[in-house]
Amino acid sequence: MRPRFKGHLSVADVVTATNAGLGFVAAAVASLDVQLAARLILLGAVLDALDGLLARRYGGTATGEYLDSLADVASFGVAPALVVAIIARRQLALADPWLTVVTYAVPAAFVMMAVVRLGMYTAYDTGNAHTEGVQTTLAATLLAAGLLAGLPPFVLVAATALFTALMVVRVQYPDLLARDAVLMGVIQALAIFLPDAYGAVFPKVLLAAAVGYLVLAPRFYWRREGKRS
């Protein structure tokens, strides 16, 4: 029996669906190897950029924008939140019951706001040259790069709390230019495949680049096309 999606999905949609599966794998391995999970999250970010490039090159479908947001919930909502929760549980002193609550409540709130942000993105931002609030992809990239760069657990928890708020603020973030998206993908690939090389220089460069976009893009960066969910 022919599956319903046959003839209704583009190459870009297949990449998007693959990204969703990758998000599950990242979440599944997080309890065994948080660094591997972080690298898989970054790989998901590469696929997220790739499906946008493919959609512009070969055309998208009516379901593409919905698939993109659904996949991002797994890869850039649940997976990074679970990684942060596991790190906090393992490495922070949990003798204080309030600290235990925080290490679970903050990642849970992150997932909630990621879902809200992605829903609003699909409803209001699709087709625009900008989006309101920090992109889930950017937040997840910062958390994964921060982990690989060696940031301490309390900083990652604090950053997760910050992104929980920033994902739903009314600050406009412009889309990346295609050339900048490719450059970011190259840096992400180096951080994925050479995370420990030269004192973890590639995750640190990725972290610096992502922080630069986070802080400067609303005021100093503008463009007409791109991918930003």
Side-chain angles (χ1 to χ4, degrees), residues 28-158:
V29 304
S31 61
L32 302 174
D33 188 337
V34 289
Q35 288 211 344
L36 176 58
R39 292 162 68 188
L40 291 173
I41 290 168
L42 293 181
L43 181 56
V46 173
L47 294 183
D48 190 55
L50 179 61
D51 69 17
L53 294 173
L54 289 172
R56 289 195 295 275
R57 176 64 178 84
Y58 299 105
T61 65
T63 58
E65 63 193 53
Y66 301 99
L67 291 177
D68 189 64
S69 290
L70 290 169
D72 288 356
V73 170
S75 296
F76 312 127
V78 175
L82 185 56
V83 167
V84 170
I86 289 171
I87 291 173
R89 184 186 65 200
R90 287 179 179 175
Q91 299 185 28
L92 294 179
L94 300 183
D96 186 340
W98 287 107
L99 186 55
T100 303
V101 170
V102 168
T103 58
Y104 287 101
V106 170
F110 179 89
V111 174
M112 292 168 61
M113 290 303 100
V115 170
V116 170
R117 192 218 124 57
L118 287 164
M120 297 188 72
Y121 159 74
T122 304
Y124 301 112
D125 296 344
T126 301
N128 296 335
H130 65 272
T131 184
E132 289 191 359
V134 169
Q135 304 91 324
T136 54
T137 310
L138 176 61
T141 294
L142 282 161
L143 291 173
L147 187 157
L148 294 174
L151 294 183
F154 74 89
V155 173
L156 294 175
V157 173

Side-chain angles (χ1 to χ4, degrees), residues 167-184:
M167 282 191 291
V168 291
V169 296
R170 304 199 70 174
V171 176
Q172 291 187 354
Y173 276 85
D175 300 349
L176 280 176
L177 291 165
R179 65 171 183 267
D180 295 336
V182 170
L183 177 60
M184 183 65 76

